[in-house]
Amino acid sequence: MTAKEKAAELLAIAGITFNGPARTDIQVHDDSAFDRMFAKGSLGVGESYMDGQWDVADMSGFFTKIFDAELHTKVEKIGILFHFLRSTLINLQSPSRAHIVGERHYDIGNDLYQKMLDSRMVYSCGYWSAPLAPARNLEEAQEAKLDLICKKLGLKPGQKILDVGCGWGSFAKFAAEKYGVEVVGITISKEQAALARERCKGLPIEIRVEDYRTTTGTFDYIVSVGMFEHVGLKNYRTFFKKMKSLLKDDGLFLLHTIGSSVDLRTSDPWIEKYIFPGGLLPSVGQIGKAIDRQFIVEDWHNFGADYDTTLMAWYDNFERAWPTLQGKYDERFRRMWRYYLMSMAGMFRSRGTHLWQIVLSKRGVHGGYRSVR
């Protein structure tokens, strides 16, 4: 059986055909793409798309079908043993390597993120599904998410907050302006820090470029939004131990993270190479093991379906802004970024990947914690 025949057989399971009329059908321009897919697994699939060997009109719908049918688990991955051993034997998120994702992803250009994200530059899942007031657009979804975090913690004026993985300062600025708190934000990206300091000027906010393992101080509350995916399995226990040491005894720690339905030890090879080097999604069990005897879970909120909507909004902004970006980024980058956003949207739509907000306390909230939704 040829690689093309094998691919056709697999895609038929998901209701996808070659050069078919449906918007989720794959349009193949170069049959050598099939050999790349089976030789390199997900890396070959992504790279062959980046090189223009195939297209699909509805890429997010295409990936939803792929993930629903679990085809990503059926493709042979030659070289996956090396990838597994590398992540098992080497701490890919050690202090000496922590800067890599900052340089490779977050430092590629603030202009790209300014055009793709909302006006606050929030690079994490928006909260579209608030029961009383569902968001109508990206701006409202991100403001609702930031306010949700503040209300879950019960922020009050004068309190000191640590924002771990502060990005461009969106949460810090919102919390300082709306709730009157003081914020220390840390990031490993120099580009993020520079813009965050500019955007937060005049507010009681300190932005530091540092790895969380070197952070010092004592804080009323700790927030980490969209950063835990970069911590790595070998460091989960260390991460939570460090957060516990920085948090006051009666404080709360809110962790906002993408999560996986299954235990993972390696990341997707394409995502690892092109998007998030060293990234890894945690499972419920892995988080539970890491916080055992360190924290008490007060609340666990899953609104992962909202990430699909968020990614589609980012994609629309990116495509709309492309004429102003293409002088700096080439067509291969455009296809890479499109593949990243659309494959992620399909992944969340299929509901095998989640977005969790977890509220943790050191000793338990006396009288019980009252959740906000």
Side-chain angles (χ1 to χ4, degrees), residues 85-302:
L85 290 175
R86 179 170 175 263
S87 62
T88 302
L89 300 176
I90 301 172
N91 185 351
L92 298 178
Q93 302 83 13
S94 65
S96 64
R97 295 177 57 87
H99 67 284
I100 295 176
V101 68
E103 295 173 353
R104 294 260 300 273
H105 189 80
Y106 298 104
D107 287 352
I108 59 176
N110 286 332
D111 56 343
L112 168 64
Y113 294 107
Q114 285 173 315
K115 289 179 169 60
M116 185 181 81
L117 305 177
D118 63 300
S119 62
R120 288 190 172 89
M121 295 185 71
V122 185
Y123 194 24
S124 54
C125 181
Y127 188 40
W128 300 79
S129 55
L132 298 180
R136 295 167 296 181
N137 52 54
L138 185 61
E139 289 290 326
E140 290 184 0
Q142 295 296 14
E143 180 168 344
K145 187 267 297 297
L146 296 175
D147 199 49
L148 180 69
I149 293 171
C150 294
K151 287 178 177 176
K152 282 183 176 181
L153 294 175
L155 300 189
K156 294 179 175 58
Q159 293 176 328
K160 188 173 183 180
I161 317 301
L162 174 64
D163 183 0
V164 182
C166 65
W168 293 277
S170 56
F171 171 79
K173 188 172 188 292
F174 180 88
E177 289 179 336
K178 304 292 184 179
Y179 287 84
V181 296
E182 177 185 345
V183 184
V184 173
I186 64 171
T187 175
I188 55 173
S189 167
K190 295 178 182 178
E191 289 292 324
Q192 283 188 333
L195 187 55
R197 288 171 183 142
E198 180 182 325
R199 293 168 69 91
C200 297
K201 192 176 298 183
L203 294 169
I205 296 170
E206 177 188 359
I207 303 296
R208 305 175 186 171
V209 179
E210 65 184 28
D211 183 84
Y212 68 89
R213 283 161 284 213
T214 65
T215 299
T216 58
T218 303
F219 301 89
D220 295 293
Y221 298 107
I222 299 176
V223 174
S224 183
V225 181
M227 174 272 182
F228 191 67
E229 301 90 332
H230 303 302
V231 169
L233 182 60
K234 289 180 177 293
N235 307 304
Y236 287 170
R237 188 83 180 167
T238 299
F239 175 83
F240 285 110
K241 184 177 181 180
K242 181 65 177 181
M243 295 303 107
K244 184 178 180 181
S245 73
L246 296 169
L247 185 64
K248 288 184 177 179
D249 286 345
D250 60 349
L252 295 173
F253 170 30
L254 186 143
L255 180 69
H256 173 115
T257 182
I258 299 172
S260 170
S261 293
V262 299
D263 287 357
L264 300 174
R265 299 192 68 85
T266 64
S267 63
D268 175 86
W270 187 85
I271 291 289
E272 163 74 24
K273 181 175 180 178
Y274 289 100
I275 307 298
F276 295 119
L280 185 67
L281 303 185
S283 69
V284 171
Q286 289 167 340
I287 291 176
K289 184 177 180 180
I291 64 175
D292 184 37
R293 300 188 182 185
Q294 297 202 80
F295 282 104
I296 292 172
V297 178
E298 299 289 353
D299 188 50
W300 196 305
H301 182 190
N302 184 351

Side-chain angles (χ1 to χ4, degrees), residues 51-64:
D51 292 335
Q53 293 185 311
W54 61 274
D55 281 292
V56 61
D58 179 5
M59 182 169 282
S60 63
F62 167 79
F63 277 108
T64 301

Side-chain angles (χ1 to χ4, degrees), residues 335-348:
R335 293 178 70 87
M336 177 191 77
W337 209 253
R338 180 187 293 156
Y339 186 91
Y340 154 53
L341 295 173
M342 292 296 92
S343 62
M344 292 281 286
M347 188 167 64
F348 281 99

Side-chain angles (χ1 to χ4, degrees), residues 108 112 318 322 329-337:
I108 59 176
L112 168 64
F318 174 71
W322 181 249
Y329 305 95
D330 62 18
E331 183 62 22
R332 194 168 191 264
F333 178 90
R334 181 187 189 182
R335 293 178 70 87
M336 177 191 77
W337 209 253

